[in-house]
Amino acid sequence: MSFVPDLRLLASIGAARAAQLASRTLKRGGGSTIPGVVARRVDPKVLKKLSKRLTLGSVAVTGTNGKTTTTRMIGKILQTAGVRAVNNSTGANLVTGVTAALVSDSSLSGKPSSGMGLFEVDEASIPRVAAEAELKILAVLNLFRDQLDRYGELAYTGKVIASAFADLPRGGAVVLNADDPLVASLGRSTGGPVFYGVDEPDLDTGRLQHVADSKDCPICGTPLDYAAVYMGHVGVYGCPTGDFSRPPLDYRASRVRPEGARGSSFLLTTPKGEREAKISLPGLYNVYNALAAAAVAGEAGVGLEDIVRGIGEFGGAFGRVERIEAGDREAFLLLIKNPVGFNEILRTFVTGAEAKNVLIAINDNDADGRDVSWLWDVDFEMLAEARAAGKADAAPFTVSGIRAGDMAVRLKYAELPVGEVVPDREEAIKMALQSTPPGETLYVLPTYTAMLEIRKALSDMGYTHPFWEDR
Amino acid sequence: MLTIHHLYADMMNLYGDRGNVISIKKRCEWRGIGVEVVDVGLGERVRPTGCDIFLFGGGQDREQALLADDLSGSKGEDLRAVVEDGGVVLGVCGGYQLMGHHYETPEGEKLPGVGIFDLHTEPRKPDEARLIGNVLVEVPAPETGDVRRVVGFENHGGRTYLGDCEPLGTVVAGFGNNGRDGTEGARRLNAYGTYLHGSLLPKNPWLTDQLILTALRREDDTVELEPLEDSAEGNAFASMAGRLAGRR
């Protein structure tokens, strides 16, 4: 740390504070990005300079699915371990958002109040963040087909992420999902990657879904042999040519027992020993998020007890999985982003007839992804099969959102009953709640901006108290 | 009995191309027409039955390179023969590009195509963007020549230029083949190529029925299709067409 005050840095922080104040006063939202833009304009090295002053360094999480949840979960673990971390808020996951978070955590003289930086970072922004933020750990969760309209090809996204590995400081670690072949193959671009994954034969779905994106060997292109497929292209695999297979696991979940909406329990094995762990978020995808969080925290030096306690106490991130009391009913919000996530939600809640009252809301704003073709890759046919076999209830789904019409066509071609088609989100949530019998739960499956609209409608109706507080 | 040959189903299904298969299948089943879906993978030969629809979807560059190799031999010849014989083929995105003479990847690799259409595809230049967004196209109906409207979503880096080849239609909103000449897709006999991916057929059921009818009439030219109740499809189409109308 320099004894000569860095005037450019101070000016940058001052300008960012002013911008934040102005943005809040003008009610232009919470000001989660603008201060970062302003700060970087005054001092392009502001992120680099402030990162160096974090005594415990920074960690970052990237990948298609689960960034927000995993980052929040790491935050909970760190909090349990008594480490104060500065976290960029939901959505602001470009380099400007990361900068804004650090600037607002710092004093006017440029001293961070947190010991550690904890950032969720958009896949395409990883090289810049890594070059500036001295990342101690970089975790890559998964690479699914999501918003290809922004990124083009999946293999290219992998290359972009791997290009950042060289910018990690000495001793920096790369944490990778061993069960996602494309992600695991990125380990070849760095020394000593840390791998996490699941070993649970009972969860084998037995087939690659239509949406499996990278089921060919990332090294030679030969179709991979799968010993187990957990979701999408994620599972236990090997290339028949022998040049690539799932790497040995450093952090592992076994004996995974899904308990529906209540969450899952599993045996967490780490280099420092093993413990029974519980997570209160539903679905196997959240077991993966918990594993990633455990690996990042473990590599950052947090003890196993704190990891297990943090995972267990974590209640979910805003809108991803959220219960809202709505009078004598309740609404369960489950964010959908892409076909793999949608399939997991259908599999976890709907095929087992747990979700009887369902509202699906599809928007195509920029934040949702403008292309809705992926609805055809969601395995609604699996649901039709479950219904035919009497395993699920036959109540029709209410359909809403800007692309309600497309969703209705999709359900029709899966031979599922289509209920009311109500493009307006506010009207749709009111109607769906009304037709949910008292004491029952309405399952709401919205894309991102539809989730925000429905959440607001619920709040306008006076239903604001979430069981799981957003923090 | 109609046979849908899904070319490289496991490799070329990038943007909901499966929706096109489902759409044809269901619209046959709802009318009591027998339908079978056959996946034609790498190294497998094309086996036309007469009453066929061949579907060729989109993929990523690496997959396209593998396919180009597979198509360079007898499979490509068979496909050309199918088209000359009046067989029904629909190529979307990557499949469409590979139905032309060649496709050049962003890395400058020139992949040979099947040569069904007289067209070629160039990579985008470094300063050019991908062509992405909702599309509205005016398409002359294959049988009558009446102009019908079709909606879809396009997402391609490559720019396709037609030689001596009829376009599928004219762009009303969106980019089309290359963003410059106002053409979209290609047509030769009963073979169609287009950048409109994913839910193309489900939302444009008249086109689906046209493909089905053309295929069935190769065996029995008196066949007629029973009309279906299409209000859901009509609503989805109208909602997008309404958004796009008047935009250019």
Side-chain angles (χ1 to χ4, degrees):
Chain A
M1 233 175 276
S2 165
F3 290 99
V4 183
D6 184 333
L7 293 178
R8 182 172 282 253
L9 176 64
L10 301 191
S12 162
I13 294 171
R17 288 292 156 80
Q20 188 170 31
L21 199 66
S23 149
R24 282 191 181 152
T25 312
L26 297 170
K27 295 207 165 61
R28 291 275 164 83
S32 54
T33 304
I34 293 166
V37 175
V38 171
R40 297 178 66 83
R41 209 163 281 161
V42 177
D43 184 354
K45 291 188 174 159
V46 56
L47 176 55
K48 202 172 186 109
K49 289 173 183 172
L50 290 178
S51 297
K52 273 197 194 309
R53 298 179 179 185
L54 290 165
T55 51
L56 299 171
S58 292
V59 303
V61 174
T62 194
T64 316
N65 279 357
K67 287 188 285 288
T68 304
T69 299
T70 304
T71 307
R72 299 292 182 91
M73 212 183 292
I74 297 168
K76 185 76 193 173
I77 296 170
L78 292 173
Q79 192 192 351
T80 309
V83 175
R84 183 168 172 160
V86 46
N87 184 353
N88 57 329
S89 60
T90 307
N93 61 12
L94 309 181
V95 74
T96 46
V98 172
T99 307
L102 254 180
V103 167
S104 70
D105 180 67
S106 298
S107 68
L108 280 171
S109 63
K111 189 177 180 316
S113 61
S114 295
M116 188 184 258
L118 167 57
F119 308 120
E120 72 158 277
V121 183
D122 180 89
E123 296 92 297
S125 300
I126 272 292
R128 266 181 94 186
V129 171
E132 296 184 23
E134 303 257 331
L135 296 178
K136 190 173 160 184
I137 299 168
L138 170 57
V140 187
L141 303 180
N142 48 58
L143 287 170
F144 289 123
R145 191 193 317 162
D146 179 52
Q147 305 198 3
L148 278 167
D149 47 328
R150 275 202 301 152
Y151 295 135
E153 312 217 335
L154 215 52
Y156 174 75
T157 307
K159 274 186 210 161
V160 168
I161 294 172
S163 75
F165 294 169
D167 282 324
L168 301 189
R170 274 171 71 91
V174 173
V175 169
L176 300 172
N177 182 347
D179 296 353
D180 182 324
L182 185 53
V183 171
S185 75
L186 303 182
R188 300 194 158 206
S189 312
T190 182
V194 174
F195 286 107
Y196 67 88
V198 169
D199 272 324
E200 180 49 79
D202 282 356
L203 294 176
D204 182 11
T205 59
R207 59 172 172 171
L208 283 166
Q209 287 163 349
H210 307 286
V211 289
D213 304 302
S214 37
K215 56 206 177 233
D216 298 332
C217 174
I219 313 300
C220 70
T222 311
L224 294 167
D225 285 338
Y226 275 85
V229 179
Y230 298 134
M231 62 176 102
H233 57 262
V234 172
V236 183
Y237 54 83
C239 177
T241 68
D243 65 354
F244 179 66
S245 62
R246 185 179 71 146
L249 306 179
D250 303 292
Y251 291 79
R252 192 164 78 104
S254 56
R255 304 205 316 243
V256 182
R257 289 175 301 280
E259 289 157 12
R262 276 176 302 146
S264 312
S265 57
F266 58 93
L267 180 68
L268 173 66
T269 306
T270 77
K272 289 185 184 155
E274 56 181 40
R275 289 282 186 289
E276 270 299 319
K278 255 188 189 313
I279 169 175
S280 59
L281 305 182
L284 179 62
Y285 54 102
N286 278 314
V287 174
Y288 272 100
N289 292 336
L291 263 177
V296 169
E299 295 305 300
V302 177
L304 188 50
E305 295 302 334
D306 286 334
I307 290 175
V308 170
R309 202 146 59 90
I311 289 173
E313 287 171 7
F314 180 72
F318 171 75
R320 260 71 184 169
V321 180
E322 194 172 11
R323 260 185 222 272
I324 293 175
E325 275 183 293
D328 48 7
R329 301 159 173 93
E330 63 175 10
F332 202 161
L333 263 56
L334 296 156
L335 180 71
I336 49 172
K337 290 172 67 183
N338 50 33
V340 173
F342 207 148
N343 278 345
E344 284 310 297
I345 283 167
L346 290 179
R347 195 164 65 161
T348 307
F349 299 102
V350 190
T351 50
E354 185 176 331
K356 283 186 195 141
N357 315 292
V358 178
L359 165 64
I360 304 177
I362 308 292
N363 279 358
D364 66 351
N365 296 313
D366 282 346
D368 305 293
R370 290 190 290 143
D371 183 10
V372 299
S373 303
W374 61 273
L375 292 177
W376 289 90
D377 289 325
V378 179
D379 202 0
F380 291 103
E381 282 71 19
M382 134 185 104
L383 197 52
E385 282 167 29
R387 292 194 165 186
K391 277 188 236 154
D393 217 293
F397 300 151
T398 309
V399 174
S400 181
I402 301 167
R403 303 300 288 263
D406 291 76
M407 190 63 233
V409 172
R410 178 67 188 99
L411 293 174
K412 174 180 174 181
Y413 279 77
E415 309 243 14
L416 288 166
V418 186
E420 298 276 355
V421 179
V422 191
D424 184 83
R425 279 67 79 195
E426 194 181 327
E427 218 177 297
I429 182 74
K430 280 184 184 157
M431 282 186 48
L433 269 180
Q434 253 164 32
S435 54
T436 300
E440 288 192 12
T441 301
L442 171 67
Y443 288 78
V444 185
L445 280 46
T447 59
Y448 186 73
T449 66
M451 181 272 289
L452 297 181
E453 292 162 349
I454 285 170
R455 213 170 179 277
K456 179 171 183 309
L458 286 167
S459 140
D460 290 347
M461 286 148 80
Y463 305 140
T464 48
H465 175 65
F467 287 169
W468 294 337
E469 292 289 344
D470 173 50
R471 264 171 300 192
Chain B
M1 180 75 174
L2 186 139
T3 308
I4 303 171
H5 303 258
H6 193 182
L7 297 172
Y8 311 106
D10 54 340
M11 301 170 74
M12 301 290 275
N13 181 26
L14 188 52
Y15 296 104
D17 291 310
R18 191 168 156 256
N20 293 331
V21 180
I22 295 173
S23 183
I24 297 172
K25 189 163 174 271
K26 287 293 164 191
R27 296 183 73 81
C28 285
E29 285 175 7
W30 289 334
R31 294 176 167 115
I33 301 167
V35 61
E36 189 188 8
V37 181
V38 179
D39 289 348
V40 184
L42 276 183
E44 288 170 358
R45 291 203 61 174
V46 166
R47 297 185 197 286
T49 64
C51 186
D52 306 291
I53 298 177
F54 291 83
L55 293 179
F56 195 174
Q60 308 192 48
D61 280 344
R62 202 188 60 202
E63 281 124 21
Q64 275 180 242
L66 289 171
L67 298 198
D69 197 36
D70 190 53
L71 284 168
S72 63
S74 54
K75 185 133 92 197
E77 275 168 39
D78 291 345
L79 271 175
R80 279 192 297 273
V82 162
V83 172
E84 293 311 316
D85 196 35
V88 179
V89 183
L90 174 65
V92 178
C93 243
Y96 166 44
Q97 292 171 338
L98 286 176
M99 283 164 77
H101 292 307
H102 64 261
Y103 163 71
E104 196 177 328
T105 68
E107 285 80 30
E109 195 188 350
K110 224 180 214 183
L111 305 176
V114 189
I116 289 169
F117 301 127
D118 183 17
L119 58 81
H120 73 279
T121 302
E122 297 172 6
R124 67 177 157 130
K125 299 187 178 65
D127 60 332
E128 289 178 331
R130 286 180 77 87
L131 304 179
I132 303 170
N134 292 300
V135 200
L136 179 61
V137 184
E138 285 183 345
V139 176
E143 296 284 284
T144 59
D146 295 346
V147 171
R148 303 286 302 253
R149 291 185 305 161
V150 165
V151 295
F153 194 93
E154 65 184 324
N155 180 356
H156 50 111
R159 267 67 173 169
T160 295
Y161 295 95
L162 305 179
D164 182 15
C165 181
E166 196 186 332
L168 176 69
T170 317
V171 176
V172 177
F175 299 102
N177 280 326
N178 47 53
R180 294 195 185 98
D181 63 17
T183 64
E184 207 297 309
R187 179 180 176 198
R188 175 177 160 68
L189 302 171
N190 295 324
Y192 306 88
T194 178
Y195 275 116
L196 272 57
H197 66 234
S199 47
L200 169 70
L201 294 185
K203 248 188 339 249
N204 302 284
W206 71 268
L207 185 58
T208 321
D209 286 351
Q210 189 62 56
L211 300 183
I212 295 171
L213 191 64
T214 310
L216 293 176
R217 284 196 174 159
R218 293 186 70 215
E219 285 196 334
D220 173 1
D221 60 10
T222 63
V223 172
E224 295 291 338
L225 286 187
E226 247 174 77
L228 296 173
E229 200 284 308
D230 279 338
S231 56
E233 294 88 335
N235 289 340
F237 173 88
S239 151
M240 181 49 70
R243 259 166 80 173
L244 294 178
R247 254 176 50 189
R248 173 109 214 171

